[in-house]
Amino acid sequence: MHAWLCTTPTGVETLNWTELPTPSPGPGQVLLEVKAASLNFPDLLIVQNKYQIKPPLPFVPGSEYAGVVRAVGEGVKQLQVGQHVACLSGTGGFATHTLAPAALCMPLPAGFPFVDAAAFIMTYATSHHALLDRGQLKAGETVLVLGAAGGVGTAAIQIAKAAGARVIAAASTEEKCALCKAQGADATINYSQGDLREAIKAATDGKGPDVIYDPVGGDFAEPAFRSIAWRGRYLVIGFASGPIPSLPLNLPLLKGASLVGVFWGDFAKREPQHNTAMMQELAQWYGQGRIKPVINRTMPMSELFAAYARMGSRQVQGKLVLVNE
């Protein structure tokens, strides 16, 4: 097998395409032949030693991937050799083969392509957990999605629309706003132009959004929170812009609003039954055509450096997926 090996987590340029012995799965593991792996923001942070999870060295990055089960370890009953699965394990995906925890593998229904499957779990699980569980989104409410043209943003648009909400999508260019409209957004805001608070006010007739979905952080957080509706819920997803904002705590008080943290990874570990039910619902929604990952492009696994460069320069709309040919 081959894998992009990280021996020194000081940046993407230190990764090396390395030949390694193909391992055998241990108890509770499966050996997967990786067909596709998506590139997510944590995959950049982890090779820069900036992610909250710091795997022991050396490691293979690639948090989310899909492939074929080639061997099963002791105690694995729910998966079989030849089965198609998707997995979000945090590492291991940027390779031709990987060992994956069987408990984290999502069996794929017939007709679920590997490319879509590799771009599915992180964004849709995060967005479903955020909007419907943590945000308690109801039909008829209004959602503001920041960073709406990215992977989690497009997933949030689709899930909010599936839940019967009105969606306002905020993105940084007119091209990205057009993509959001194509995913079902009812209105868009180009936050590179004009005042964000005034744009939100105009888009909500002065009421403000009931739920704000924020994977961006940075300078947009405070003006967005100041625009929230009474009893609004502000969902803290992540900080793709880099800086972690500091919000004055009088803002939740004045609006009777909630600042809600979203950490899907720990939710999945702490509440596995609820997570399994959620993933089953998402798979059903995919089969019904209610949700579908937005794939910016696919690239060969050998072009990982170029893929990282595209993501780092904010050229990616939706998800970028690497494939083994």
Side-chain angles (χ1 to χ4, degrees):
M1 62 166 285
H2 281 79
W4 284 103
L5 198 63
C6 180
T7 55
T8 308
T10 56
V12 175
E13 65 281 354
T14 64
L15 298 176
N16 287 293
W17 186 242
T18 306
E19 185 174 5
L20 300 167
T22 302
S24 298
Q29 293 181 322
V30 294
L31 174 67
L32 292 187
E33 179 186 353
V34 178
K35 295 294 187 180
S38 65
L39 188 60
N40 295 285
F41 190 60
D43 298 320
L44 176 61
L45 296 179
I46 202 167
V47 299
Q48 297 173 334
N49 206 32
K50 295 179 180 178
Y51 196 50
Q52 59 257 41
I53 297 170
K54 302 187 188 303
L57 297 172
F59 69 91
V60 177
S63 54
E64 184 178 26
Y65 46 90
V68 181
V69 176
R70 292 304 182 200
V72 299
E74 181 184 348
V76 176
K77 306 296 185 184
Q78 73 273 35
L79 299 175
Q80 300 174 351
V81 172
Q83 193 167 6
H84 293 189
V85 300
C87 186
L88 178 64
S89 62
T91 57
F94 297 154
T96 59
H97 297 76
T98 192
L99 292 178
L104 298 182
C105 289
M106 171 185 171
L108 298 177
F112 205 134
F114 288 121
V115 168
D116 280 2
F120 191 76
I121 297 177
M122 180 175 285
T123 53
Y124 285 93
T126 296
S127 296
H128 189 293
H129 173 54
L131 291 167
L132 302 185
D133 183 5
R134 302 294 288 140
Q136 292 294 297
L137 179 65
K138 304 294 189 297
E141 290 189 315
T142 296
V143 180
L144 170 65
V145 180
L146 301 176
V152 290
T154 51
I157 292 171
Q158 294 176 12
I159 288 171
K161 291 304 297 180
R166 178 174 182 262
V167 176
I168 302 166
S172 59
T173 68
E174 289 301 320
E175 182 185 13
K176 290 180 178 180
C177 286
L179 171 69
C180 296
K181 290 284 282 188
Q183 299 310 308
D186 299 283
T188 60
I189 294 172
N190 182 343
Y191 45 46
S192 68
Q193 299 176 356
D195 182 271
L196 179 60
R197 288 192 68 189
E198 288 301 318
I200 296 172
K201 184 177 180 180
T204 60
D205 294 325
K207 176 181 177 290
D210 301 290
V211 174
I212 297 177
Y213 181 100
D214 182 10
V216 180
D219 294 337
F220 296 123
E222 185 168 332
F225 201 110
R226 288 184 181 276
S227 306
I228 203 166
W230 175 252
R231 289 184 181 267
R233 288 85 75 197
Y234 194 103
L235 305 177
V236 181
I237 313 297
F239 314 103
S241 72
I244 297 176
S246 297
L247 291 172
L249 287 181
N250 66 317
L251 297 181
L253 182 153
L254 293 171
K255 293 292 186 79
S258 302
L259 190 63
V260 184
V262 178
F263 190 179
W264 169 74
D266 252 30
F267 162 74
K269 293 175 185 176
R270 294 170 183 266
E271 303 177 42
Q273 291 181 323
H274 291 148
N275 182 65
T276 298
M278 179 185 75
M279 295 308 302
Q280 289 174 343
E281 180 173 55
L282 285 169
Q284 290 174 354
W285 284 5
Y286 179 89
Q288 294 164 357
R290 300 173 73 185
I291 57 175
K292 181 175 173 58
V294 176
I295 307 300
N296 176 257
R297 67 168 56 189
T298 59
M299 300 174 69
M301 187 68 74
S302 59
E303 295 183 15
L304 179 62
F305 287 176
Y308 269 116
R310 283 188 63 82
M311 187 180 70
S313 61
R314 301 184 67 181
Q315 297 180 53
V316 178
Q317 299 176 24
K319 293 289 286 279
L320 195 158
V321 178
L322 298 148
V323 295
N324 283 312
E325 299 173 323

